Amino acid sequence: MDKVMMEAQTIELAILKKAYRLMETAKTMAATYEDNKAICSKYVHATSRGHEAIQLATALQLKPYDYAALYYRDESILLGIGLQPYELMLQLLGKADDPFSGGRNYYGHPSLKREGFPTIPHQSAATGMQAISSTGMAHGIAYLESQGLLKGEEKPVVLCSMGDGAVTEGEVAEAFQMAVLKKLPIVYLVQDNEWGISAKASEMRAMDAYEYAAGFKGMERLRLDGTDFVEAYEGMQVAFDYARKLRKPILVHARCPLLGHHTSGVRQEWYRGDDLQKQRERDPLPKLREVLLDSGVTIEELNGIAQQAREAVAADFRRALDAPDPDPASFDKDVFAPTPVTEEQGQRKPAGVEKTNMVDAALHAVDDILRTYPEALLYGQDVGGELGGVFREAALLAKKYGDDRVFNTPIQEAYIIGSTAGMAAVGAKAIVEIQFADYMWPGLNQLAGEISKSYYLTNGKFPVQALIRVPTGAYGYGGPYHSGSIESTLLNIRGVKVVYPSNAADMKGLMKAAFLDPNPVVMLEHKGLYWSKLPGTESAKRVEPSEDYIIPLGKAHIAQHASEEQVRNGNSLTVITYGMGIYWAKMASEQFNGSIEILDLRTLNPLDFEAVTASVQRHGKVLVLTEEPLMNSFAESLAGRISKACFQQLDAPVFTLGAANLPAIPLSVELEKMMLPNADKVAAAMRELLNY
């Protein structure tokens, strides 16, 4: 589609006039911000000057049942779908009534859930990252369509808008790959002004987006002059019709000038030179003005439209200046959406049921979920097809529920994790798997930058329901890329819950709670406990709970009680731990005749600190045990909190024990033993603490 391939048509004069009014509005807003830069540049912002034609042409194709992921320069798209300058100015000035975030997010970072408007979920600064979440939306729509779960006759389309500099991001390649692989209904709009911040296109890329997209077989492509509203409107109509009717992806590459600053913090006069004057010659506003004059609209009418736009913007700016600021007391609202699971339910030990191992308990839990919730789907590397996961944790689920619901993905951790935000936005409920914890890192950009912030930065409008399963921990012979523990890293990402079951019963109950939680939940599953093959882990096998069994997140459990006699004699301690630490502590405790209590945290965020302090106060001595390298870890942080909260009740310093502070777990089993905790090391720490 090098050229617009459609029959010639006449755009309604009313549409041309509307576009002209909104172009004048956008121009006046940019000028207003510049004229009042002492006020408006308090918070960094970007405007759409030069991009108005392609943005308005795009906005006018969007239907109320569509979805969009915009980038920070898409001010005119927002005007085009019906947002008022006043509403955008509230965000510019960080005001309480900012309709997107209540003063929490930058200008041009929308999140909209409003009747009669396209849905715009949260995205970050949107320099490529939004390609994954938006493709996840299209993926979710395609899945719901395949299951007959979409209501009504409408065919939703997803718009993903981005600048040309974003296309070089690796995550964009992941999104394009999945879009063509799964044939998803998405329009990728790339607005190419040939600038990054101060970097020119020739410095940043070997090809433009149109040329790049040719490498993705199945991606339809279209070039447009982004300064010509008529061509842009007709072209975007073709693009949306293509995605809406054929349910396939299309990329639109639109050239347009950058007529303002990159952002208010990076001013054009610092680096643009002669380029700025050349760009002004491509201003889309005079071009549309000539089209209207040729259509018989008088110059007086056009001047009147411009004057009305200027007056409206001025009035809105005065109102926005006087609008109230956010209540400071609201600063910590909307970190997590309320969960419906608050109490333990179902039978933990039903009669006549045999014990099962953890990996089978997890498999059965996911099976129950897929059977009960048709909007649920499972995907990740090797979880579909014949294998059903490298640990057989999804065995036969693809055959049982079909390849649309349980399927393999490419090696794309960013897409696996980030797509869950898009899935959640359209009503699909994703269970995804990262094959090993050591492979989590490419997905952290999406987890930290997009998913974890969504609920908070949208003022509670867009929680991300996502269950992310991650096999973790060392189990012998795994070596440096299959043995790592990552909980401390995850716990530094606010807005994400982290669950760590240590036995089959907890695995099933916590898996159900994690799925039903409206927030992103990472389920860390210790590989060494999956089959209870490691010495001392036999008790990880448990009677499998009933199908309706569920454990609320954030509730610790006493895995082993100390004897009352030892507690009365002051000869007891508590071990605060989770995962494999439970079994090291149990084996070590056999040497101490009832002196050891073991508290299984089960959930690391939210943390049951009340149970922690109660256990510490009962014994006066505490060992915090982890499999992670100890330095700067969650365990050390918890020890510090205990020291402060329980100082008066402590009879000894808070002891900690973890792995040696090495950058990786070595392949040799003998070297691994030296690095990691074990029962003997734990027993030595217990002995020292009891004798303190």
Side-chain angles (χ1 to χ4, degrees):
M1 289 190 181
D2 275 309
K3 296 181 179 179
V4 178
M5 296 170 57
M6 62 181 298
E7 294 181 4
Q9 63 166 310
T10 301
I11 301 176
E12 292 180 18
L13 189 59
I15 292 176
L16 296 175
K17 288 182 179 181
K18 179 178 181 179
Y20 185 76
R21 174 177 59 81
L22 292 175
M23 280 194 199
E24 286 283 5
T25 300
K27 177 182 178 181
T28 305
M29 290 168 67
T32 300
Y33 301 162
E34 184 66 11
D35 292 343
N36 296 273
K37 62 185 177 184
I39 297 170
C40 297
S41 292
K42 178 179 180 180
Y43 304 116
V44 173
H45 62 270
T47 71
S48 58
R49 279 297 285 130
H51 292 238
E52 300 97 329
I54 185 62
Q55 290 186 17
L56 291 170
T58 301
L60 296 174
Q61 312 305 323
L62 286 164
K63 307 294 185 185
Y65 49 83
D66 287 335
Y67 295 81
L70 308 183
Y71 95 115
Y72 57 85
R73 201 173 298 287
D74 281 336
E75 169 191 74
S76 286
I77 290 184
L78 296 171
L79 293 172
I81 65 172
L83 273 295
Q84 298 304 306
Y86 173 69
E87 296 179 283
L88 304 187
M89 291 168 180
L90 290 175
Q91 188 179 44
L92 174 86
L93 300 170
K95 297 294 186 175
D97 295 330
D98 154 29
F100 306 136
S101 70
R104 294 178 176 180
N105 213 346
Y106 285 110
Y107 183 73
H109 290 56
S111 56
L112 189 68
K113 185 182 287 186
R114 183 185 291 180
E115 189 71 26
F117 286 74
T119 299
I120 306 176
H122 161 78
Q123 58 270 327
S124 69
T127 50
M129 292 173 68
Q130 78 275 27
I132 282 181
S133 58
S134 57
T135 305
M137 292 182 222
H139 201 162
I141 289 168
Y143 167 71
L144 294 172
E145 285 181 343
S146 75
Q147 305 297 305
L149 296 174
L150 277 187
K151 299 177 182 178
E153 299 299 318
E154 293 88 0
K155 293 290 186 181
V157 164
V158 178
L159 168 70
C160 174
S161 175
M162 52 188 158
D164 57 298
V167 179
T168 58
E169 285 272 10
E171 292 186 358
V172 174
E174 293 192 19
F176 286 179
Q177 184 71 242
M178 289 301 291
V180 296
L181 185 65
K182 297 295 184 179
K183 298 181 174 62
L184 303 180
I186 185 167
V187 177
Y188 297 104
L189 169 62
V190 179
Q191 301 172 54
D192 188 350
N193 60 36
E194 298 189 324
W195 284 97
I197 296 179
S198 65
K200 299 177 182 178
S202 59
E203 300 175 82
M204 297 186 296
R205 69 192 193 200
M207 65 199 79
D208 66 26
Y210 182 87
E211 295 162 333
Y212 178 65
F216 294 89
K217 185 179 180 180
M219 179 78 77
E220 188 56 85
R221 298 175 297 149
L222 178 63
R223 279 195 193 274
L224 295 174
D225 179 354
T227 69
D228 183 332
F229 177 77
V230 173
E231 179 177 321
Y233 183 88
E234 293 176 345
M236 292 310 298
Q237 193 170 61
V238 169
F240 273 82
D241 284 349
Y242 179 88
R244 203 176 302 282
K245 293 174 183 176
L246 298 183
R247 317 308 282 159
K248 292 181 180 179
I250 182 169
L251 180 138
V252 179
H253 176 253
R255 295 190 183 278
C256 44
L258 179 63
L259 299 182
H261 308 295
H262 169 76
T263 60
S264 59
V266 184
R267 301 185 62 79
Q268 57 197 19
E269 57 267 24
W270 295 346
Y271 64 95
R272 295 288 293 281
D274 294 339
D275 173 76
L276 189 57
Q277 183 55 44
K278 294 178 183 177
Q279 297 269 25
R280 285 174 180 152
E281 295 172 3
R282 300 171 59 217
D283 190 338
L285 183 56
K287 289 187 176 184
L288 181 55
R289 186 180 179 91
E290 289 301 315
V291 170
L292 285 163
L293 289 171
D294 290 344
S295 300
V297 180
T298 66
I299 194 165
E300 288 79 15
E301 184 177 358
L302 292 179
N303 290 341
I305 291 172
Q307 181 62 27
Q308 289 173 0
R310 287 192 290 269
E311 291 173 356
V313 169
D316 279 2
F317 187 64
R318 289 192 297 271
R319 285 178 60 207
L321 288 174
D322 293 336
D325 293 322
D327 178 1
S330 69
F331 82 104
D332 61 350
K333 288 179 59 181
D334 303 319
V335 176
F336 287 120
T339 176
V341 180
T342 57
E343 300 292 337
E344 188 170 357
Q345 302 169 22
Q347 292 182 282
R348 185 175 176 89
K349 295 182 179 179
V353 177
E354 295 184 357
K355 289 183 178 181
T356 191
N357 58 40
M358 282 184 65
V359 74
D360 286 342
L363 171 63
H364 299 160
V366 174
D367 191 2
D368 291 345
I369 290 167
L370 293 174
R371 183 172 58 253
T372 306
Y373 300 96
E375 66 273 27
L377 64 166
L378 169 68
Y379 55 95
Q381 295 167 33
D382 299 305
V383 302
E386 296 292 332
L387 185 61
V390 294
F391 302 104
R392 303 292 286 155
E393 71 282 3
L396 302 179
L397 292 180
K399 287 192 173 183
K400 188 171 184 179
Y401 294 103
D403 293 337
D404 287 332
R405 294 194 72 186
V406 181
F407 55 87
N408 294 325
T409 66
I411 302 174
Q412 295 185 171
E413 286 82 7
Y415 185 85
I416 292 168
I417 291 175
S419 61
T420 63
M423 293 279 181
V426 303
K429 297 180 179 179
I431 306 170
V432 300
E433 182 177 312
I434 301 300
Q435 200 163 74
F436 289 89
D438 307 82
Y439 302 160
M440 186 79 170
W441 310 119
L444 288 190
N445 192 35
Q446 288 288 326
L447 187 65
E450 300 287 331
I451 292 173
S452 69
K453 295 176 171 62
S454 180
Y455 189 64
Y456 181 75
L457 289 181
T458 63
N459 245 6
K461 292 193 297 294
F462 287 99
V464 176
Q465 179 174 10
L467 173 51
I468 303 168
R469 298 182 61 187
V470 185
T472 189
Y475 57 108
Y477 310 98
Y481 302 111
H482 301 82
S483 308
S485 295
I486 61 170
E487 53 266 30
S488 290
T489 299
L490 295 173
L491 291 166
N492 273 291
I493 303 173
R494 320 304 177 197
V496 175
K497 296 187 177 183
V498 180
V499 179
Y500 205 134
S502 67
N503 60 73
D506 286 352
M507 174 71 88
K508 190 168 187 179
L510 291 169
M511 186 79 77
K512 298 288 185 69
F515 173 78
L516 293 172
D517 200 297
N519 303 286
V521 181
V522 178
M523 175 81 78
L524 296 174
E525 305 173 18
H526 200 292
K527 301 183 293 292
L529 299 178
Y530 265 160
W531 299 281
S532 293
K533 289 183 177 180
L534 295 184
T537 63
E538 180 64 27
S539 62
K541 294 181 179 179
R542 298 292 172 90
V543 169
E544 184 166 350
S546 59
E547 183 176 333
D548 61 344
Y549 182 64
I550 193 165
I551 304 170
L553 306 187
K555 298 291 184 182
H557 173 70
I558 298 177
Q560 177 175 294
H561 290 269
S563 73
E564 289 300 322
E565 180 182 1
Q566 297 286 29
V567 174
R568 284 195 304 269
N569 292 337
N571 189 37
S572 66
L573 62 83
T574 181
V575 180
I576 312 296
T577 189
Y578 53 93
M580 187 61 76
I582 301 298
Y583 302 95
W584 292 327
K586 282 186 175 182
M587 287 186 285
S589 70
E590 294 173 1
Q591 303 179 32
F592 299 102
N593 192 28
S595 291
I596 310 300
E597 178 169 298
I598 303 171
L599 183 69
D600 186 348
L601 293 175
R602 301 201 293 197
T603 303
L604 308 186
N605 186 28
L607 176 69
D608 190 353
F609 195 61
E610 182 178 344
V612 171
T613 56
S615 185
V616 173
Q617 290 169 359
R618 187 160 52 247
H619 300 282
K621 294 180 178 180
V622 55
L623 168 65
V624 181
L625 175 60
T626 180
E627 184 171 328
E628 288 192 296
L630 194 58
M631 186 180 293
N632 303 321
S633 65
F634 161 70
E636 282 200 334
S637 173
L638 179 56
R641 290 182 63 187
I642 291 170
S643 295
K644 181 178 180 181
C646 302
F647 182 77
Q648 298 294 337
Q649 292 82 26
L650 287 170
D651 297 322
V654 177
F655 276 34
T656 55
L657 180 62
N661 295 307
L662 302 177
I665 295 177
L667 178 65
S668 163
V669 174
E670 297 306 315
L671 296 178
E672 180 188 280
K673 288 178 181 178
M674 291 299 296
M675 178 184 180
L676 294 177
N678 58 37
D680 291 338
K681 294 177 185 179
V682 173
M686 288 175 173
R687 185 171 294 106
E688 181 182 358
L689 186 53
L690 286 170
N691 293 331
Y692 192 88

